[in-house]
Amino acid sequence: AEAEAQARFDEIIAADSRIEPRDWMPEAYRKTLIRQIAQHAHSEIIGMQPEGNWITRAPSLKRKAILLAKVQDEAGHGLYLYSAAQTLGITREEMTQQLIDGKAKYSSIFNYPTPTWADMGAIGWLVDGAAICNQVPLCRASYGPYGRAMVRICKEESFHQRQGFEILLTLMRGTEAQQRMAQDAVNRWYWPSLMMFGPPDDESPNSARSTAWKIKRFSNDDLRQRFIGMLVPQAEALGVTLPDPELRWDAENERWHTSEIDWSEFYEVLAGRGPMNAVRLQNRRDAHESGAWVREAAAAYARTQAARSDG
Ligand code: ACO
């Protein structure tokens, strides 16, 4: 029966059709999806912090309203993704526990500080830009609930990216000090945003299998290249410089030639030793603890309601 189920699964994958929660799936496929979707959900939730830092200090009421809406979108993406992961047989409590115990990964990018308002622009332009590049192909991921979640999330990400671009554009049309602030933020976020796509292909242990299962559609390096290609004309329109003196189009090999990415920095951040890892995790723990009474009250209310309908 297992061989038959496996054959049916293989057929669905080969036909570019979709695996749904009640379909049989190999255990390793289930595990890979739980890993990737949970990491993605945690990234959205931890990703609220770098920008949350600026909600009370946004330069105008309009900027504040936009930033609030964007951070709320991220909370929504996180909850949506936790729900998608739950269809695979893990609970929200388990995933949250893994995150606050420091056992779950989340994107390296959210472990960098946001010292200036221009960081809100750079995050929108570069971080959300990288997220879109990575996530548009995930709309076709073979697991139904994940692919469908991505469609909606990508629409919102694309609005986020534009608002970041617009913040930078406003600064670049401003005073010299504002232009310097924008360039400085781009300098600090550029390399970490390239690292978001994951390790180089020859050091990416999960890629081969995830590609065969049609979870991943493009390799880490291919997406990174595509992202650079998207940034170059936009940087020109903004009037900012991408901080890589080696960056140029290599016509012969039809790819962007770049300086070497500092992968030791990436692995340090993954190991929990990035500039803001400890702060991000502590804030998440504190928020979880201070929300305990809400969870307890909701559970008590649910019990009373259930008892009433029994009687
Ligand atoms: N930050 C933290 N961890 C990373 C990153 C990163 N930028 N890139 C790769 N890793 C981790 C992987 O999770 C994997 O760890 P694990 O095996 O312990 O789970 C390890 O490094 C090796 O990488 P790969 O074999 O290349 O892993 P994978 O095939 O999962 O590819 C990728 C990584 C591209 C990030 C993939 O998981 C993905 O597309 N995820 C969905 C998108 C996402 O999570 N975005 C979050 C940031 S965007 C946002 O939230 C706005």
Side-chain angles (χ1 to χ4, degrees), residues 32 35-37 39-45 47 74 77 81 105-111 127-128 130-132 134-135 138 146 150 157 192 195-200 203-208 210 216 220 223 266-267 269-270:
T32 284
R35 176 184 68 79
Q36 177 164 331
I37 302 172
Q39 284 175 1
H40 195 165
H42 297 326
S43 304
E44 300 281 359
I45 297 300
E74 282 152 12
H77 297 173
L81 286 163
K105 286 200 172 82
Y106 59 87
S107 184
S108 52
I109 195 73
F110 301 117
N111 294 302
V127 176
D128 297 315
I132 295 169
N134 169 259
Q135 289 168 25
L138 289 175
Y146 191 35
M150 279 301 125
E157 293 291 358
M195 295 175 197
M196 285 175 70
F197 296 92
E203 288 173 37
S204 164
N206 301 304
S207 274
S210 290
K216 275 178 130 160
N220 297 0
L223 288 173
F266 174 74
Y267 289 115
V269 173
L270 257 60

Side-chain angles (χ1 to χ4, degrees), residues 129-251:
I132 295 169
C133 251
N134 169 259
Q135 289 168 25
V136 165
L138 289 175
C139 296
R140 294 189 294 127
S142 57
Y143 187 58
Y146 191 35
R148 288 189 290 271
M150 279 301 125
V151 173
R152 172 162 174 184
I153 290 175
C154 283
K155 283 185 186 161
E156 294 183 347
E157 293 291 358
S158 110
F159 157 70
H160 295 172
Q161 202 240 356
R162 281 173 214 195
Q163 70 85 39
F165 183 89
E166 202 262 339
I167 288 175
L168 290 179
L169 191 63
T170 305
L171 291 172
M172 290 306 290
R173 287 176 177 164
T175 63
E176 248 176 60
Q178 287 173 317
Q179 291 168 5
R180 271 200 306 275
M181 184 166 75
Q183 181 63 56
D184 169 67
V186 169
N187 292 349
R188 285 182 290 107
W189 289 94
Y190 177 72
W191 291 104
S193 75
L194 294 186
M195 295 175 197
M196 285 175 70
F197 296 92
D201 292 349
D202 53 8
E203 288 173 37
S204 164
N206 301 304
S207 274
R209 234 172 23 169
S210 290
T211 307
W213 280 327
K214 297 187 179 167
I215 298 169
K216 275 178 130 160
R217 299 279 178 166
F218 298 97
S219 80
N220 297 0
D221 287 331
D222 286 350
L223 288 173
R224 201 171 358 254
Q225 280 281 321
R226 197 182 269 218
F227 177 56
I228 294 170
M230 189 183 97
L231 290 184
V232 167
Q234 293 180 5
E236 214 166 289
L238 283 172
V240 296
T241 309
L242 297 175
D244 180 2
E246 298 271 318
L247 182 61
R248 64 182 158 77
W249 177 246
D250 172 356

